[in-house]
Amino acid sequence: MAHSAVVPDIGALSSFAMQTIRQMGDEAIQFYGRGRLHPPFDQNLVTQAELHLNNSFQKAIAAQFPQHQIYGRDPLGEGYTHGAKRYLWVFDPLDGVDNFQTRIPIWGMSLALYENNWPVFGCFYMPATNDLFYAVAEQQAFWNERPLTLVDRGDLSQESLMLTFSRFHQHYRSQFPGKIRALGSTGVHACYVAMGRADAAIVANESFKDLAAVRIIVESVGAKIYRADGSDFFLGDYVDGTRIDDHLIITTPSNAESVLECLQAIQ
């Protein structure tokens, strides 16, 4: 008599995800900081690293969950299904490539699991610092083994911190009362907001793959992603891979209005 396949629970899936992303981090370290110094950006090194990591990740999925889908490799399914193909893994091998190839430790990789287009689990790993952020959708988020809880620090002040993309100054005049920094990694920026190290992050030139995992972490602590005009942002609108043209703001609902009031777009 044939037996139906055992469906893994979220605990098994999330454990696999965290084990796999740590493994991918170990492999990424083999390339870390080995870029040419002149010219300042070594595209060849980044391409080699991304190809190697994507290939290793696909092998890991094939060995454990051969019927699961991988974003960017398999065609997106249409409609609801109870089969194994309802699971979609979204892997971004390198976030913060400038830092990665020049051996600045602020970079990472992300991995998300979606089920029938709904977020299930997301993690972001920084191999150079061994920081792992993760969350099951709508449940507690963690930094390594520490639960993440947003602390309402009140109104923005001189001690507030906003993280931005590198060309922020070309797009906005800012009256933000605190410090403004560009650390070079959208995933790191998002996770720093989630853990309370930063009050807000402004991000640009993103895609579904870039945000699929950190979106789950951010939302699990009660923060949100907004469009630059303050309206709600729906990442699922970009699952087809369309580039996100709008600038986005990652912050708490209590800070969103104050952050927006600090920004004036340069025409």
Side-chain angles (χ1 to χ4, degrees), residues 56-169:
S56 293
F57 175 73
Q58 291 181 20
K59 288 180 178 178
I61 294 295
Q64 188 72 23
F65 302 115
Q67 292 184 300
H68 287 193
Q69 305 293 294
I70 296 177
Y71 186 81
R73 185 197 67 178
D74 302 307
L76 293 174
E78 296 182 5
Y80 187 92
T81 177
H82 290 287
K85 290 185 182 296
R86 70 184 186 274
Y87 290 114
L88 175 70
W89 293 96
V90 188
F91 178 54
D92 185 9
L94 289 178
D95 182 313
V97 293
D98 286 353
N99 292 342
F100 170 78
Q101 61 99 35
T102 54
R103 208 172 180 80
I104 297 172
I106 303 174
W107 58 276
M109 52 184 57
S110 65
L111 178 58
L113 176 64
Y114 279 63
E115 180 180 2
N116 285 317
N117 295 323
W118 284 95
V120 172
F121 178 80
C123 55
F124 185 85
Y125 183 47
M126 300 173 65
T129 60
N130 199 33
D131 288 312
L132 178 63
F133 302 86
Y134 58 95
V136 173
E138 300 182 354
Q139 296 186 25
Q140 178 71 61
F142 292 86
W143 164 42
N144 295 333
E145 302 302 322
R146 304 179 189 180
L148 293 181
T149 303
L150 278 182
V151 178
D152 187 355
R153 298 191 289 186
D155 296 337
L156 300 177
S157 69
Q158 291 184 348
E159 300 306 315
S160 299
L161 173 63
M162 182 168 68
L163 302 172
T164 70
F165 57 99
S166 59
R167 292 178 175 81
F168 169 83
H169 62 286

Side-chain angles (χ1 to χ4, degrees), residues 26-41:
D26 289 344
E27 297 192 22
I29 289 293
Q30 300 174 27
F31 298 88
Y32 171 48
R34 298 188 176 183
R36 295 189 311 268
L37 295 179
H38 303 288
F41 186 78

Side-chain angles (χ1 to χ4, degrees), residues 151-162 174-181 196-200 254-255 258-259 262:
V151 178
D152 187 355
R153 298 191 289 186
D155 296 337
L156 300 177
S157 69
Q158 291 184 348
E159 300 306 315
S160 299
L161 173 63
M162 182 168 68
S174 173
Q175 295 181 341
F176 187 76
K179 299 176 282 291
I180 299 177
R181 301 285 186 269
R197 282 182 175 172
D199 297 271
S254 61
N255 275 340
S258 297
V259 172
C262 294

Side-chain angles (χ1 to χ4, degrees), residues 196-243:
R197 282 182 175 172
D199 297 271
I202 315 296
V203 304
N205 301 315
E206 304 301 332
S207 68
F208 177 82
K209 183 178 73 171
D210 300 330
L211 299 175
V214 294
R215 164 261 186 109
I216 297 170
I217 299 167
V218 164
E219 292 177 355
S220 289
V221 300
K224 290 181 63 176
I225 303 178
Y226 299 89
R227 296 186 184 275
D229 62 3
S231 61
D232 289 338
F233 171 75
F234 301 100
L235 183 59
D237 293 344
Y238 297 88
V239 70
D240 62 355
T242 304
R243 202 74 185 167

